Amino acid sequence: MPDERTGHWDDVYRERDESRLSWHQDDPAISLELFGIAGIDETSVIDIGAGTSRFATRLVERGVHDVTVLDVSGAALDRSRRQLGEAADRIDWITADVRTWPPVRTYDLWHDRAMFHFLVDARERAAYRSRLRRALRPGGHAIIATFAHDGPEACSGLPVVRYEPDGLRRALGDRFTLVAHRHHVHHTPWGSPQSFQYSLLRLDE
Ligand SMILES: C[S@@+](CC[C@H](N)C(=O)[O-])C[C@H]1O[C@@H](n2cnc3c(N)ncnc32)[C@H](O)[C@@H]1O
């Protein structure tokens, strides 16, 4: 699969601070709400396409001990590590393209806000699904947020696929049950509204 994306995202994170990243949010409130609904104790979590998101940090602050973040951009993860200082040691960091990443263990929860929707090609989505199924323990949960049907058609100059919760569930294959979902209007740092859907799904045992 083409690898031009690594360069694209590294350039984005090197050139722009958070005030110029459309997806930036200080408070990952909807992700945390759905994490609460999943209701899992002693959880292991992986955040896919985490960028400089605060989600992993908030989980560590809540006492979640086993937190991993993965992103294709080393520049994004370096920035996150610097921002976190010593707390960065409490997180596992993986620089990898999820489409080719070989999972070596399983997690209770897979989180992805605004990464899956960049996979516009069916083969890329199949590669993502295969990693999701290998990395999530049976009975585990996935929180996946994408642009909703009334959301933007592109982000960061790249086309996206927009979803509603049922369509997302179908895109992930037949072993997921939709547990809860939210429609959320995110406001970019410069105030533009963007519609997202957030889905909480459970992988069958
Ligand atoms: C729109 S940003 C969202 C970042 C973060 N999830 C958040 O909510 O702030 C998309 C992220 O996905 C990462 N990404 C894009 N394609 C990827 C891939 N194939 N594998 C892993 N990460 C990828 C980018 O580097 C970027 O950090």
Side-chain angles (χ1 to χ4, degrees):
M1 279 178 202
D3 210 10
E4 75 286 354
R5 214 166 289 186
T6 314
H8 170 83
W9 289 106
D10 272 344
D11 289 349
V12 166
Y13 283 105
R14 284 201 190 101
E15 289 163 11
R16 299 195 218 161
D17 65 21
E18 285 172 348
S19 68
R20 295 177 58 221
L21 298 177
S22 59
W23 55 89
H24 175 69
Q25 54 175 192
D26 285 328
D27 181 13
I30 310 294
S31 296
L32 291 170
E33 183 197 351
L34 293 178
F35 176 72
I37 292 172
I40 352 176
D41 297 325
E42 301 297 324
T43 311
S44 53
V45 179
I46 185 161
D47 191 10
I48 300 291
T52 53
S53 162
R54 305 288 191 267
F55 181 61
T57 317
R58 295 286 183 274
L59 293 180
V60 170
E61 287 167 0
R62 287 172 170 222
V64 180
H65 295 297
D66 186 352
V67 179
T68 300
V69 303
L70 177 149
D71 201 283
V72 72
S73 167
L77 298 186
D78 285 348
R79 190 196 283 184
S80 266
R81 275 198 208 96
R82 280 197 303 276
Q83 283 169 347
L84 278 169
E86 282 182 9
D89 296 341
R90 292 151 72 186
I91 293 176
D92 289 328
W93 305 85
I94 301 175
T95 304
D97 185 325
V98 71
R99 299 170 298 174
T100 50
W101 166 62
V104 293
R105 54 164 290 193
T106 58
Y107 302 86
D108 298 320
L109 184 95
W110 171 287
H111 177 266
D112 166 356
R113 173 176 178 267
M115 194 261 114
F116 179 68
H117 65 193
F118 288 108
L119 304 181
V120 295
D121 180 282
R123 284 170 308 167
E124 298 182 298
R125 289 194 293 276
Y128 180 102
R129 271 199 306 273
S130 128
R131 272 72 193 176
L132 169 60
R133 292 273 291 274
R134 279 154 61 188
L136 192 58
R137 72 158 170 82
H141 290 77
I143 297 169
I144 303 186
T146 65
F147 283 155
H149 274 172
D150 56 344
E153 294 178 7
C155 174
S156 187
L158 299 173
V160 303
V161 181
R162 298 174 297 174
Y163 294 92
E164 289 305 322
D166 258 337
L168 176 70
R169 184 186 52 77
R170 284 195 298 277
L172 296 178
D174 55 8
R175 289 193 52 207
F176 283 93
T177 303
L178 187 59
V179 176
H181 57 90
R182 297 284 181 271
H183 186 271
H184 175 68
V185 179
H186 164 70
H187 287 90
T188 67
W190 49 95
S192 298
Q194 296 184 328
S195 284
F196 276 78
Q197 70 74 37
Y198 284 69
S199 293
L200 170 65
L201 305 120
R202 185 173 180 280
L203 178 61
D204 295 345
E205 303 269 1

